[in-house]
Amino acid sequence: MNTFSSRAARCLETLYRIFGYLAALCIFIMLVVIVAQVVLRWSGTTLPGATNYAGYLMGASTFLAAAYTFHEGGHIRVGLLVERLGRFRPIGELWCLLIASGIAGFITWHAYDAAYWSYRFGDVSSGQDATALWIPQSLLALGSTTFTLSIVDHFVRTLAALFRSARANHHESHPVRSL
């Protein structure tokens, strides 16, 4: 692997890790909001919009963690199908990654579209908090963008490994003859 591609891979892995930390932070904040709501109910008061905030944080943590989880192999994959392909496994993986990147790209496009129109129209949540909806929607869009990037990254890595393997097999079967 050349210097540029190894540096790019390290940068992407760092990005995935940062988004994993952000997802963990969202889960921690969600815990704090829920605990605060429980404590405030015991005292006879409430935290307006706590349920909505917990929902926003859950959605944000799900999307922010997607790239890190995918990169670390934590998502349920189509392994049963791909493992049965034998020597055609890399081609099956490429096909699956190509389909997954299309689906993730579609989700990303619509996440940005929803955030954009919520911003343009000034949409706010219908709950007690009246939060501008583009704020949590933009976190979903950011997380889905990184997830799409992660899938495309794995597609490129798998494709490069397939070409390296094909090149190595070609050189083994056709050795250079000396004169």
Side-chain angles (χ1 to χ4, degrees):
M1 194 182 304
N2 66 25
T3 306
F4 174 76
S5 59
S6 63
R7 194 174 325 139
R10 280 194 310 272
C11 287
L12 286 172
E13 289 167 6
T14 301
L15 179 70
Y16 305 150
R17 193 174 311 108
I18 289 169
F19 273 72
Y21 291 144
L22 289 173
L25 179 64
C26 286
I27 290 172
F28 177 75
I29 294 170
M30 183 176 59
L31 171 71
V32 169
V33 167
I34 291 170
V35 169
Q37 178 68 0
V38 168
V39 170
L40 287 173
R41 280 189 185 175
W42 287 342
S43 69
T45 61
T46 62
L47 178 62
T51 305
N52 291 352
Y53 294 134
Y56 302 147
L57 290 163
M58 176 60 79
S61 67
T62 300
F63 278 83
L64 292 173
Y68 176 76
T69 307
F70 180 78
H71 180 70
E72 295 297 320
H75 284 281
I76 297 172
R77 297 187 184 186
V78 289
L80 292 175
L81 170 70
V82 172
E83 288 173 7
R84 297 188 184 270
L85 293 176
R87 65 186 179 122
F88 297 109
R89 179 181 177 155
I91 295 169
E93 287 180 4
L94 285 172
W95 183 81
C96 291
L97 289 168
L98 187 63
I99 297 299
S101 65
I103 293 169
F106 180 80
I107 291 168
T108 299
W109 172 267
H110 286 286
Y112 275 104
D113 190 53
Y116 171 76
W117 288 109
S118 290
Y119 177 77
R120 287 283 309 252
F121 291 135
D123 285 345
V124 295
S125 72
S126 59
Q128 292 176 329
D129 61 328
T131 299
L133 287 178
W134 68 268
I135 297 169
Q137 288 172 341
S138 62
L139 291 174
L140 301 182
L142 190 60
S144 64
T145 300
T146 309
F147 180 51
T148 303
L149 179 64
S150 175
I151 295 171
V152 171
D153 173 33
H154 281 266
F155 177 83
V156 170
R157 290 180 192 211
T158 304
L159 188 62
L162 182 64
F163 281 130
R164 280 193 303 272
S165 174
R167 177 180 272 164
N169 289 340
H170 177 72
H171 288 302
E172 286 177 8
S173 63
H174 298 87
V176 177
R177 296 183 185 160
S178 60
L179 296 175

